[in-house]
Amino acid sequence: GRITLDFDGTSPQVEGGVNCTWCGLIGGIMAAVFPMLCFDLPWSTGGILRVLDIQSKPGTLNNAEYPAACSMGTIQGCWETTDIVGQAIAKMLASCDDLRDEVQACWSPSSNCIIMNGLDREGKPFTGLWLGGMAGGAGARSWNDGIDTAGFMPQTRIAAPNVETCERLYPILEVYRKECPDTAGHGKHRGGIGMEHMIIPYKSPEDLTVIRYSHAVRTPEGRGISGGYPAPVNVQLIYRNTDIRSLMASGKIPRSPEDISHESFEDVIPKSITHMGPDDVRVFYVSGGGGYGDPLDRPIHLLEKDLREGLCSPQTTNTVYGAVLDDTGLHIDEKATLGRRRELKQLRIESGAPAAKRFSLPFPDGVSKNSRLRKTGRIGEHLAIERKSGRLLIGCVQCGHVYGPA
């Protein structure tokens, strides 16, 4: 068998340095194909390429030609290719009963790092890449949550850099790093949680110049699957002229941005150049992995565990997962939650347009909207397919209700 990867419709290359060339396109494809389809094979690019038919128009974002800029292509064109191909493979696996256990949503969609330069503690010029923002979450699987702070799917030996090593190499101080609540894509199985960091300049004789090295900032790219939500975007914030040094001098270590006072703050856009003075604070929120399945189907005991461990906030537990909390805010009222989830699902039905109105093809002879499928095939978590009167029909896995022709 062969697999066709058709990139027809990809946007033209742009002036900014976010394009990638044909080599980047191949790398982006392989970063998804190897771990999702070839996990039990030696990773030989040449061998796998023999069974792939790649269709891509030159002069596009992930098949750029001279003089297109591509200095940030590894975290834009390449990475976006990996995310899209991974999503397509996941949908393909989700439609096969024998391979559904291999389904996983998109992992953290990009690094959230910085490139720094200036003078080090000895007054010597330096340039360095801080890679602390690599600890994103894994995509949710069809049978379990994604792995928290797992890194990135194609990098099987990835590890977050050692704090002390970074502080030895660069004139910075990492105030804290921790797993950050609500950074995963929600679902029946949630994605892996991402990381939160806070850093400040430390013993640098002048302001640091910083370039943001990141992607998936304005739109969520860590896509979910089968009704799972995407993970939030990558975020970097700079808090200007804070009181962090006086706090630390008094023995108080901030544990979140709410613990510091500041004159202003900036939401840093990707690939931008900023400066950090001695009293400035930079906070990183690294995106987690996409979710799998409907959040209203998440087992209550797993949701309560996340709540107790601080990985899911009470507000998200209530608004996204339909949970009803007791007065302590740490325990879920199971009976009340099941009732509220039924109400939320009924509200979806009442507010949604009937699916039959969205199909232009008529039902086959002997089939109506009141028919029921025997559910002989599956498309993901929620949809069933069956052939009747020579036509494929699509319907609900749980009740067999026919939506229309496939």
Side-chain angles (χ1 to χ4, degrees):
R2 304 187 63 81
I3 295 177
T4 298
L5 297 163
D6 187 355
F7 291 91
D8 183 47
T10 300
S11 297
Q13 63 191 44
V14 296
E15 291 184 2
V18 299
N19 311 278
C20 73
T21 62
W22 173 262
C23 294
L25 170 64
I26 298 300
I29 291 171
M30 289 303 171
V33 169
F34 278 150
M36 297 189 74
L37 296 178
C38 306
F39 48 86
D40 56 347
L41 297 174
W43 285 13
S44 171
T45 302
I48 302 304
L49 279 174
R50 295 174 187 169
V51 298
L52 300 181
D53 295 320
I54 302 170
Q55 300 175 13
S56 175
K57 181 180 178 181
T60 51
L61 274 172
N62 58 355
N63 189 4
E65 297 184 310
Y66 182 84
C70 53
S71 61
M72 289 284 184
T74 52
I75 59 165
Q76 190 83 38
C78 296
W79 218 308
E80 185 63 18
T81 299
T82 299
D83 292 341
I84 291 172
V85 172
Q87 183 80 346
I89 292 173
K91 290 181 178 181
M92 180 175 67
L93 296 173
S95 301
C96 178
D97 291 335
D98 294 335
L99 297 175
R100 193 167 296 116
D101 284 351
E102 304 297 337
V103 172
Q104 54 186 315
C106 286
W107 286 43
S108 179
S110 173
S111 61
N112 190 14
C113 302
I114 54 175
I115 303 169
M116 301 176 289
N117 68 66
L119 299 180
D120 64 17
R121 296 176 183 84
E122 298 178 353
K124 298 177 180 178
F126 86 97
T127 298
L129 176 59
W130 179 81
L131 294 173
M134 302 283 279
R141 295 158 287 184
S142 60
W143 49 275
N144 204 353
D145 294 344
I147 303 168
D148 296 334
T149 53
F152 306 114
M153 179 172 61
Q155 298 171 336
T156 57
R157 297 175 64 91
I158 190 170
N162 181 273
V163 171
E164 286 76 16
T165 300
C166 291
E167 293 176 344
R168 176 176 59 83
L169 294 173
Y170 311 131
I172 61 171
L173 183 71
E174 188 159 348
V175 181
Y176 67 74
R177 66 166 58 167
K178 61 182 181 180
E179 292 183 336
C180 184
D182 297 336
T183 49
H186 308 299
K188 176 181 179 181
H189 301 300
R190 65 162 175 80
I193 295 292
M195 190 76 84
E196 176 185 341
H197 301 259
M198 178 185 284
I199 67 170
I200 59 174
Y202 188 66
K203 294 185 177 181
S204 175
E206 65 176 23
D207 291 357
L208 299 180
T209 300
V210 183
I211 300 174
R212 182 174 182 184
Y213 183 77
S214 185
H215 168 53
V217 174
R218 290 293 178 257
T219 56
E221 301 292 347
R223 301 168 182 85
I225 190 170
S226 293
Y229 285 22
V233 297
N234 283 312
V235 175
Q236 286 188 30
L237 303 174
I238 299 178
Y239 294 84
R240 298 292 188 187
N241 298 320
T242 71
D243 63 345
I244 189 166
R245 295 189 180 276
S246 60
L247 283 174
M248 297 180 70
S250 66
K252 299 176 182 178
I253 308 297
R255 302 183 66 179
S256 76
E258 288 73 26
D259 294 338
I260 60 175
S261 299
H262 58 277
E263 291 184 3
S264 63
F265 79 93
E266 302 169 16
D267 183 359
V268 184
I269 62 175
K271 293 85 178 175
S272 63
I273 300 175
T274 56
H275 296 84
M276 291 186 65
D279 295 318
D280 295 338
V281 171
R282 200 175 191 108
V283 179
F284 304 75
Y285 299 94
V286 185
S287 176
Y292 177 93
D294 189 345
L296 297 183
D297 292 333
R298 183 157 178 76
I300 291 176
H301 72 280
L302 294 179
L303 188 57
E304 193 170 68
K305 180 175 181 289
D306 283 345
L307 185 65
R308 290 196 308 268
E309 294 180 354
L311 302 181
C312 188
S313 67
Q315 180 181 4
T316 299
T317 302
N318 177 263
T319 58
V320 176
Y321 290 98
V324 179
L325 305 180
D326 66 7
D327 294 337
T328 68
L330 296 176
H331 299 285
I332 296 174
D333 185 324
E334 183 171 354
K335 182 177 180 181
T337 295
L338 293 176
R340 184 162 185 266
R341 285 178 167 183
R342 285 193 294 269
E343 293 173 359
L344 291 173
K345 290 181 178 181
Q346 182 61 34
L347 183 62
R348 290 177 180 172
I349 295 173
E350 293 172 356
S351 61
K357 293 182 179 180
R358 300 183 182 273
F359 288 92
S360 59
L361 297 174
F363 284 94
D365 293 339
V367 180
S368 72
K369 64 180 181 179
N370 296 318
S371 300
R372 290 291 180 268
L373 296 184
R374 293 194 301 272
K375 296 171 283 188
T376 55
R378 289 276 295 276
I379 304 178
E381 179 77 5
H382 304 290
L383 300 178
I385 56 173
E386 182 180 344
R387 185 176 296 276
K388 283 190 176 183
S389 302
R391 295 275 295 280
L392 281 175
L393 303 178
I394 188 168
C396 176
V397 165
Q398 296 185 8
C399 67
H401 176 79
V402 175
Y403 296 126

